[in-house]
Amino acid sequence: MIFEELLAEMNIHTVTIPEYCYHFDQTKLVSESSLFYHFFIDYKRVSYIQKDNEIDIKIPYLFSASSKEIARSKKDKEGIFFSLDITYNLSITLENEIMIEKEHMNAFLNGVAPRILHPYFRQSVAESLQKAGLPQLNLPLFENFSEPLDS
């Protein structure tokens, strides 16, 4: 089966948010400074389970805002004043009962699923920033996704 045929077999039933957590530390927010942000999918924590013709996928997204350029390490959180950890769950049904090859599932997880979920993520970021009383931010389109921070 080619990848395009597999996509034609898939029907997304639900997109849910089983985990949603943000942290705002106003003491780290420096007034009148430039604001920097960083966001990515935590591919180390992406998971999927296929049972018969049902697939359950979990994709965690991370967002952070800082008053200084964000370092390339998670250990340097000094300037980060806002962070958002959010996991999306995709429930998919296949038209026919077929086992998806790992290569095809990886292509879906790395290319298709993030493009489906990105509008939801953009909205979640905007709403979370608004709830924290921070300036509005419209994230760029998916093609501008940042690289994950180094461990």
Side-chain angles (χ1 to χ4, degrees):
M1 174 176 283
I2 62 173
F3 187 61
E4 290 78 13
E5 291 172 345
L6 173 63
L7 293 176
E9 291 275 327
M10 294 179 151
N11 294 307
I12 297 174
H13 279 274
T14 59
V15 176
T16 58
I17 301 174
E19 297 175 36
Y20 184 103
C21 177
Y22 76 85
H23 176 76
F24 176 43
D25 185 348
Q26 193 165 7
T27 63
K28 292 183 180 181
L29 179 60
V30 179
S31 63
E32 311 234 356
S33 67
S34 297
L35 300 181
F36 301 94
Y37 62 91
H38 188 79
F39 60 100
F40 62 96
I41 294 172
D42 187 355
Y43 281 103
K44 293 177 185 174
R45 294 181 20 221
V46 170
S47 66
Y48 71 92
I49 298 171
Q50 180 177 358
K51 184 176 179 185
D52 301 325
N53 66 332
E54 301 287 326
I55 304 170
D56 186 55
I57 300 171
K58 289 189 177 16
I59 302 179
Y61 283 70
L62 302 170
F63 172 88
S64 61
S66 174
S67 56
K68 66 176 190 174
E69 292 255 15
I70 296 175
R72 295 300 302 163
S73 172
K74 290 180 184 177
K75 296 171 187 153
D76 181 18
K77 295 185 178 184
E78 181 183 321
I80 297 176
F81 60 85
F82 182 87
S83 62
L84 172 67
D85 296 342
I86 189 164
T87 300
Y88 292 94
N89 190 76
L90 278 173
S91 296
I92 298 173
T93 301
L94 299 170
E95 297 274 331
N96 298 296
E97 197 172 307
I98 53 172
M99 284 306 293
I100 299 177
E101 298 173 24
K102 188 173 184 171
E103 170 187 324
H104 286 150
M105 182 54 77
N106 287 338
F108 181 80
L109 293 173
N110 292 317
V112 178
R115 283 172 171 72
I116 293 168
L117 295 174
H118 191 65
Y120 297 99
F121 178 65
R122 290 179 74 193
Q123 179 180 356
S124 296
V125 169
E127 289 173 353
S128 297
L129 290 171
Q130 180 185 19
K131 287 176 185 175
L134 295 169
Q136 182 178 350
L137 171 66
N138 291 319
L139 292 180
L141 298 177
F142 178 80
E143 285 72 21
N144 294 327
F145 245 65
S146 301
E147 292 296 318
L149 295 173
D150 298 328
S151 298

